[in-house]
Amino acid sequence: MNVPDSRLSINQATIKHAPLDEALRVTAEAGVQSIGLWREPVDHVGLDVATRMLADSGLRVTSHCRGGFFTLPDGERRRAALADNRRAIEETAALAAAGAPGSVAVLVLVAGGLPDGSRDLLGARDRVRDAIGELVPDAAAAGVTLAVEPLHPMYAADRAVVSTLAQALDIAGDFDASVVGVAVDTFHIWWDPQVREQIARAGREGRIATYQVCDWRTPLPEDVLLARHQPGAGVIDFASLTGAVIDAGYTGDVEVEIFNADIWARDAATVVGETVEAFARSVSPHLP
Amino acid sequence: MNVPDSRLSINQATIKHAPLDEALRVTAEAGVQSIGLWREPVDHVGLDVATRMLADSGLRVTSHCRGGFFTLPDGERRRAALADNRRAIEETAALAAAGAPGSVAVLVLVAGGLPDGSRDLLGARDRVRDAIGELVPDAAAAGVTLAVEPLHPMYAADRAVVSTLAQALDIAGDFDASVVGVAVDTFHIWWDPQVREQIARAGREGRIATYQVCDWRTPLPEDVLLARHQPGAGVIDFASLTGAVIDAGYTGDVEVEIFNADIWARDAATVVGETVEAFARSVSPHLP
């Protein structure tokens, strides 16, 4: 087995069924140095226990996934979503403080889809910007960067009305770059004719809060949410995209985040080992 | 049943299993005035018979679907694809000449996906432009407009490396607007944050060769190629998009093109009737 790349981070979604203790253990035992966490497994043990577990693991934390889902019109459910995002901001700060040196306080935001029965895409997009504006003071106070993640356009109706890196940067551009950045995920943006110029722009504007990698392969599975693969298993040109991210000045860790039922069905330690090897083959050659 | 909108055209894909004679008959009997044809059912009877059938139907023809699939590198298969596109150009001209007054000679081009085993998206996109350049003299001589169709980004790997209207317009921009235009299909572009400005640009540049409508609804079916629905059955804002197309100066017919296994399983005349009603409810109110 390879010595893992020092910049590889295992996003916890890749080993979704592992509870937090197991996720931290198999990641550290593989020699990987960092991990991206998810709220549900953290909530399952409680934030205090989670921060102690993370500190004991010796791992850096590279992101907290995820906030967002704020395309609802004004009302109780929108206020509840904003309150939940504020809790996520606090969690992100606490986890980053507990992680090993080099940890970052980045909360990934998935915008949310159209409200039920709505066709008002422009309105939903406006509400995303408004919601981020409401969260910015809290994020700034907590030292947390909100990472607006454009999702693939096939999720625009039901998952995320933010569909391109340009659009995410336009939203982020209303706010200070230390507080609002973007998530660059190869799966979501590889197809975009503007991808390289928008990655360069994200770098110029100081907005690349996290770089996540996984691959696209056809045919898509029945649930298109689970269409992700290990780097190298599909058609994405990691040389081109990783090169663009590095040229844009990104110096952080690189998360592998995979939603895939076949991968989830396997032993977490095995999956981490496979991820180490896929990353070494398909991503590491393009890192400095 | 409504009197069909005079601008409604039934794209033959919507009644995929009807042979050409039946497709023409059920369309005309419903009082619809125009049809978009597909190559396979035309080939099935032969072009001479097809042109006579079309002339007898009294219908206008609004497009011929489809050419393209030219992302292959140089070689025999690429030359064969170009030769096939030249035949499609000749068919398009013959059919437009045989259709009722107001028929247009528009050949819709679907770019094609990545060649097997390739990750070179930029190279594939360059070859699309090159191939169109090779076809332009033939199209110009035949009086045919090539309509570059951006397909939804979920098809970028295996169907069409042209993914946005902006990209299609950039390609078309190298050629005369009377010979190379774009296909504006709501299903493929509704999610695009730039969609309204790019439709306006397409109008300014004289490039809207065809306007096609159908709807997007989640969850997507197992085969995402068949994810299309009648206008009004999903989340697309036809007021916004149709308004943009009309404001951009488009005066042509509007095709309903649906790929959907449930719709294909039903009687063609029934589907045409449902299409007439869906169009009346969701598209006609936004036409002048």
Side-chain angles (χ1 to χ4, degrees):
Chain A
M1 187 164 153
N2 295 302
V3 174
D5 194 299
S6 63
R7 292 179 75 172
L8 165 61
S9 174
I10 302 292
N11 184 288
Q12 201 173 353
T14 304
I15 47 174
K16 178 188 171 82
H17 297 311
L20 183 60
D21 57 348
E22 182 185 357
L24 293 166
R25 180 175 53 76
V26 297
T27 300
E29 284 179 358
V32 173
Q33 298 181 17
S34 58
I35 191 165
L37 297 175
W38 274 65
R39 295 191 69 200
E40 293 77 0
V42 167
D43 287 348
H44 189 73
V45 298
L47 184 60
D48 286 349
V49 172
T51 53
R52 282 200 299 275
M53 283 181 175
L54 176 64
D56 290 346
S57 77
L59 295 170
R60 297 188 293 276
V61 63
T62 53
S63 73
H64 195 39
C65 297
R66 55 197 181 178
F69 298 99
F70 28 45
T71 50
L72 294 168
D74 278 339
E76 192 175 340
R77 288 176 61 204
R78 181 175 176 82
R79 287 192 298 276
L82 288 170
D84 188 55
N85 274 280
R86 291 190 173 97
R87 284 191 294 276
I89 288 169
E90 296 304 319
E91 290 166 20
T92 304
L95 291 164
S103 291
V104 292
V106 170
L107 176 63
V108 176
L109 299 183
V110 171
L114 289 169
D116 282 350
S118 171
R119 296 187 175 98
D120 182 13
L121 187 58
L122 299 180
R125 286 170 167 166
D126 284 344
R127 289 193 293 279
V128 171
R129 183 186 299 255
D130 293 344
I132 292 171
E134 292 202 43
L135 296 175
V136 157
D138 303 273
V144 167
T145 299
L146 305 173
V148 182
E149 180 163 30
L151 258 57
H152 193 284
M154 72 182 172
Y155 305 125
D158 54 354
R159 288 269 154 188
V161 297
V162 177
S163 304
T164 65
L165 193 49
Q167 183 193 5
L169 288 166
D170 286 347
I171 292 171
D174 284 353
F175 308 102
D176 191 278
S178 67
V179 184
V180 184
V182 297
V184 175
D185 183 322
T186 57
F187 179 84
H188 294 304
I189 63 172
W190 72 276
W191 59 270
D192 187 346
Q194 301 183 344
V195 66
R196 298 205 299 186
E197 68 195 72
Q198 293 299 326
I199 289 172
R201 172 187 166 198
R204 278 196 311 278
E205 298 179 358
R207 303 277 179 185
I208 306 180
T210 178
Y211 177 46
Q212 301 179 326
V213 295
C214 71
D215 216 334
W216 177 282
R217 190 165 79 186
T218 54
L220 300 177
E222 185 169 355
D223 181 349
V224 293
L225 198 61
L226 308 184
R228 302 172 179 221
H229 297 270
Q230 291 281 7
V235 300
I236 291 179
D237 182 348
F238 289 100
S240 170
L241 296 182
T242 303
V245 169
I246 296 304
D247 289 348
Y250 182 72
T251 57
D253 293 316
V254 181
E255 290 189 5
V256 176
E257 184 189 47
I258 303 174
F259 299 1
N260 181 307
D262 293 334
I263 290 176
W264 288 345
R266 292 214 299 286
D267 170 69
T270 303
V271 170
V272 170
E274 292 168 350
T275 305
V276 166
E277 300 198 6
F279 193 92
R281 276 194 307 271
S282 296
V283 182
S284 293
H286 316 299
L287 295 173
Chain B
M1 190 165 150
N2 294 303
V3 175
D5 193 299
S6 63
R7 292 178 76 172
L8 165 63
S9 174
I10 302 292
N11 184 289
Q12 201 174 353
T14 304
I15 47 173
K16 178 187 170 83
H17 298 311
L20 182 61
D21 56 349
E22 182 185 359
L24 293 166
R25 180 174 53 74
V26 298
T27 299
E29 285 180 357
V32 173
Q33 298 181 18
S34 57
I35 192 166
L37 297 175
W38 274 64
R39 296 191 68 200
E40 293 76 1
V42 167
D43 286 350
H44 189 73
V45 298
L47 184 60
D48 288 348
V49 172
T51 53
R52 283 201 297 277
M53 282 181 176
L54 175 64
D56 290 346
S57 76
L59 295 170
R60 297 187 294 274
V61 64
T62 52
S63 73
H64 195 40
C65 298
R66 54 197 182 178
F69 298 99
F70 28 45
T71 49
L72 294 167
D74 277 340
E76 192 174 340
R77 287 177 61 205
R78 180 176 177 84
R79 286 193 296 277
L82 288 170
D84 188 56
N85 275 279
R86 291 190 174 97
R87 285 191 294 276
I89 288 169
E90 295 305 320
E91 292 166 19
T92 304
L95 290 164
S103 290
V104 292
V106 170
L107 176 63
V108 176
L109 299 183
V110 171
L114 290 168
D116 282 349
S118 171
R119 296 187 176 98
D120 182 12
L121 187 58
L122 299 180
R125 286 172 169 165
D126 285 344
R127 289 193 292 279
V128 171
R129 184 186 299 254
D130 293 346
I132 291 171
E134 292 202 43
L135 297 175
V136 158
D138 303 273
V144 167
T145 299
L146 305 173
V148 181
E149 180 164 28
L151 259 57
H152 193 285
M154 71 182 173
Y155 305 125
D158 54 355
R159 288 270 154 187
V161 297
V162 177
S163 305
T164 64
L165 194 48
Q167 183 193 5
L169 287 166
D170 285 347
I171 292 171
D174 284 353
F175 309 103
D176 191 278
S178 67
V179 185
V180 184
V182 297
V184 175
D185 183 321
T186 56
F187 179 84
H188 294 305
I189 64 171
W190 71 277
W191 58 271
D192 186 346
Q194 301 183 343
V195 67
R196 298 206 299 185
E197 69 194 71
Q198 293 299 325
I199 289 172
R201 172 188 166 197
R204 278 197 311 277
E205 298 178 357
R207 301 278 179 185
I208 306 180
T210 178
Y211 177 46
Q212 301 179 326
V213 294
C214 72
D215 217 334
W216 177 281
R217 190 165 78 186
T218 55
L220 300 176
E222 184 168 355
D223 181 349
V224 293
L225 199 62
L226 308 184
R228 300 172 180 224
H229 296 271
Q230 290 282 7
V235 300
I236 292 178
D237 182 348
F238 289 99
S240 170
L241 295 182
T242 302
V245 169
I246 297 303
D247 289 347
Y250 182 72
T251 57
D253 292 316
V254 181
E255 291 190 5
V256 176
E257 185 189 46
I258 303 173
F259 298 2
N260 180 308
D262 293 333
I263 290 176
W264 286 346
R266 293 215 297 288
D267 170 69
T270 303
V271 170
V272 170
E274 292 168 349
T275 305
V276 167
E277 300 198 7
F279 193 91
R281 276 194 307 271
S282 296
V283 181
S284 294
H286 317 298
L287 295 173

